[in-house]
Amino acid sequence: MKELIRRLCNVYGPCGQEEAVRRLISQEISGLVDEVRVDALGNLIALKRGTGNGSAPAARVMIAAHMDEIGVMVSHVDAKGFLRFTNVGGVLPYTLFGSRLLFANGSQGTFGMDGKPLATEKPEMAKMFVDVGATSASDAPVGVGDVGVFRSEFADLGKRILAPSLDNRIGCAILIQTLRELTSSPNDIYAVFTVQEEVGLRGAGTAAFGVEPDVALALDVTLTGDMPEAHTMEVALGKGPAVKVLDRRMIAHPGVRRWLVNTAQAFDIPYQLEVLEYGSTDAAAMQLSRAGVPAGALSIPSRYIHTPVQMVDYDDVQNTVRLLVNALSGPVDVGG
Ligand code: CO
Ligand code: ZN
């Protein structure tokens, strides 16, 4: 599975340009699902048909993992070939210096800042520029509207993995691996690889409207509180998948929460409860689809989210797959 993670983290796929990620995932899941379609926004919607539960029809369970990653979009090229830019998704200005940008056409670049920046200064994006090695506007290899993403080498640190865009290629990898390991299910499983999550959960909204799920679950990363003098938060690396209770845009459906917690306890899988004070996931958009959908999320604890190099624990990754496979292997019960 590490090889799959490495390949997913390397693919170029900023919000709105998820084609290459979608192509790779389509190849990986062909043969594992019964139907695949792509909707108007670019969501990849795969269905693995369930057997039904006795006389009851199969429940429709939608699992969403977003394919897109954050980046920066060129907004202006000056006479010397320096590029001004705007953020696509939640980019943190102080993480830009020293990072490597990759564009769709393979061009690379890094960041600089106007004037003589002091080490103590809080960088402002409006004062920063991208240097792609151009000497004039006419020889700049990229132009207005092109998007760069952050790239570095995948590294297997043993227990932990260091890679760019683990938010949320790790969720995509877990969903693919779950399809590989799920031999049979009473439920119709809609594995949905969504677009444009980082600019406001946009793809998940239309995908959920189309799928009309009975239950929805997002797979995404979450912050941790386990670093020196970190913001107080219960979640830590290596202590298992985090079952979402609350984030800024959603209160998880109590039945969905119970379903996940009961599964973890029944199969002796470590888990944590997640109360996230920043950000949200595709679950928030799915929950508000049509007349409302019981929704929750399984989060992969992650350090350095939205920076060019991110970290997850490999045991957490494997335990998330185990929890998901076991939860989906039986009938889904989110009532009571
Ligand atoms: Co994100
Ligand atoms: Zn994410």
Side-chain angles (χ1 to χ4, degrees):
M1 193 183 172
K2 282 179 178 169
E3 176 53 24
L4 173 65
I5 298 168
R6 188 190 65 77
R7 277 188 292 141
L8 280 165
C9 287
N10 261 330
V11 181
Y12 175 89
C15 314
Q17 295 181 62
E18 298 88 353
E19 299 86 347
V21 189
R22 190 167 55 236
R23 221 175 297 127
L24 173 58
I25 294 173
S26 299
Q27 289 164 7
E28 290 295 331
I29 64 172
S30 79
L32 300 175
V33 293
D34 301 302
E35 277 174 36
V36 181
R37 68 173 195 270
V38 178
D39 77 4
L41 264 68
N43 296 298
L44 177 65
I45 300 169
L47 167 60
K48 189 181 175 85
R49 250 183 237 296
T51 55
N53 184 24
S55 57
R60 301 156 75 87
V61 183
M62 174 171 173
I63 320 278
H66 72 85
M67 299 187 283
D68 60 305
E69 63 187 311
I70 59 168
V72 298
M73 181 182 281
V74 178
S75 56
H76 179 259
V77 184
D78 77 11
K80 289 181 171 170
F82 293 108
L83 319 174
R84 298 291 167 169
F85 61 91
T86 187
N87 60 302
V88 180
V91 171
L92 308 163
Y94 67 90
T95 66
L96 299 180
F97 297 107
S99 71
R100 185 182 294 234
L101 260 191
L102 173 72
F103 288 87
N105 64 4
S107 303
Q108 296 191 23
T110 191
F111 293 86
M113 189 167 145
D114 297 345
K116 249 194 201 159
L118 300 168
T120 52
E121 206 172 331
K122 206 172 167 210
E124 260 176 69
M125 249 184 294
K127 288 186 179 173
M128 298 178 70
F129 53 81
V130 171
D131 189 340
V132 285
T135 56
S136 69
S138 58
D139 77 355
V142 292
V144 172
D146 289 331
V147 180
V149 298
F150 306 104
R151 274 302 170 270
S152 57
E153 279 301 309
F154 170 96
D156 179 357
L157 307 181
K159 237 184 111 42
R160 280 151 189 188
I161 288 169
L162 199 60
S165 64
L166 281 166
D167 176 10
N168 184 34
R169 303 296 161 71
I170 196 65
C172 295
I174 286 167
L175 188 47
I176 294 167
Q177 187 66 25
T178 299
L179 291 173
R180 285 176 180 167
E181 293 185 19
L182 189 67
T183 45
S184 132
S185 170
N187 316 298
D188 282 345
I189 309 294
Y190 287 85
V192 181
F193 300 87
T194 63
V195 297
Q196 300 189 36
E197 188 271 355
E198 297 289 1
V199 287
L201 322 178
R202 295 176 189 170
T206 62
F209 192 93
V211 167
E212 284 190 76
D214 298 310
V215 180
L217 210 58
L219 287 173
D220 207 334
V221 295
T222 189
L223 299 170
T224 66
D226 61 351
M227 293 173 290
E229 297 179 44
H231 176 79
T232 305
M233 184 178 176
E234 274 296 307
V235 177
L237 246 57
K239 293 191 174 168
V243 176
K244 171 105 55 201
V245 179
L246 171 146
D247 63 30
R248 275 289 74 103
R249 288 180 60 175
M250 183 182 77
I251 295 169
H253 186 281
V256 175
R257 227 175 89 191
R258 207 175 308 120
W259 169 46
L260 297 171
V261 167
N262 288 346
T263 305
Q265 287 172 346
F267 292 90
D268 227 359
I269 300 165
Y271 72 96
Q272 329 180 48
L273 292 178
E274 176 200 2
V275 176
L276 180 67
E277 293 172 66
Y278 313 93
S280 194
T281 72
D282 278 342
M286 297 190 289
Q287 184 175 45
L288 299 182
S289 182
R290 291 184 185 255
V293 177
L298 262 184
S299 304
I300 303 94
S302 177
R303 290 181 185 161
Y304 322 117
I305 293 177
H306 286 208
T307 81
V309 194
Q310 307 170 14
M311 186 185 286
V312 295
D313 183 283
Y314 193 58
D315 286 342
D316 289 342
V317 173
Q318 289 178 302
N319 281 323
T320 309
V321 174
R322 277 179 65 209
L323 178 45
L324 206 51
V325 169
N326 284 307
L328 296 173
S329 294
V332 176
D333 177 14
V334 297

